[in-house]
Amino acid sequence: MLCAKNLLNPKAQAGYVLPLALTIILLTSIASASAVHTASTQIRSMSSEKQYLQAFHLAEVHLVTTEKLLLAGIQQLEDSTVSIESFKPKYFRAKSGISSQHYKITVTSPINHLSIQTSIRIDEITKSDKNKSSKKQRSLQRLSWGLIL
């Protein structure tokens, strides 16, 4: 019966409306701030991922271009982001009629200094025809590939 009297008495309930309204506003503000913070963090993450993918793509394009130039026989490159080293593997056996060259290529992306390193072997096969003319056939084989962070 005491509860029924308080519900009918408007003076007894006047003190609860203001704190309740302020609490709802406070909870709404906290939820909104949290949502804005989460959204901005996700936007930064997506932007960083996009930048990383662009750098990776640029480095990979330089790498494939360098491999094609080496396959064509061009070894002098004017690019400061590409490093080419010729090396001889420790236990490599040369085959007759095949001349092999090994290269270690390192490409650094100028965007965020992401580096891709690969080792390739270029085999040059000399075939003799009946007319005593020789044809040179070149083939490329990728031996290893790695990402240097």
Side-chain angles (χ1 to χ4, degrees):
M1 191 72 164
L2 187 58
C3 292
K5 284 186 179 179
N6 286 339
L7 288 175
L8 296 175
N9 188 359
K11 289 183 182 178
Q13 294 178 356
Y16 295 107
V17 174
L18 186 59
L20 183 64
L22 290 175
T23 304
I24 290 173
I25 291 172
L26 178 67
L27 290 175
T28 305
S29 299
I30 291 173
S32 298
S34 175
V36 167
H37 178 69
T38 303
S40 67
T41 302
Q42 287 178 350
I43 288 171
R44 279 193 305 251
S45 174
M46 294 295 283
S47 173
S48 177
E49 183 178 351
K50 181 181 176 185
Q51 210 173 33
Y52 177 79
L53 287 175
Q54 285 176 344
F56 183 76
H57 178 70
L58 183 64
E60 199 170 28
V61 166
H62 277 24
L63 181 71
V64 170
T65 303
T66 303
E67 286 176 350
K68 286 180 181 178
L69 289 173
L70 285 172
L71 185 61
I74 302 170
Q75 294 182 4
Q76 300 295 331
L77 297 173
E78 307 263 339
D79 198 353
S80 64
T81 61
V82 178
S83 167
I84 302 172
E85 299 174 28
S86 180
F87 71 97
K88 193 159 189 115
K90 192 172 185 178
Y91 297 109
F92 180 73
R93 292 185 186 178
K95 296 178 183 175
S96 64
I98 299 174
S99 171
S100 297
Q101 283 288 332
H102 291 80
Y103 297 101
K104 187 177 285 188
I105 305 168
T106 305
V107 178
T108 305
S109 175
I111 296 176
N112 63 356
H113 305 293
L114 172 85
S115 295
I116 298 175
Q117 187 174 43
T118 186
S119 298
I120 62 170
R121 180 177 77 215
I122 297 178
D123 295 329
E124 189 170 325
I125 305 168
T126 306
K127 290 186 177 180
S128 297
D129 289 340
K130 293 179 183 177
N131 301 339
K132 298 282 184 182
S133 64
S134 62
K135 286 184 178 179
K136 292 186 178 181
Q137 217 176 3
R138 296 176 69 110
S139 64
L140 183 136
Q141 182 180 4
R142 185 175 287 153
L143 303 174
S144 68
W145 186 93
L147 190 63
I148 302 170
L149 298 175

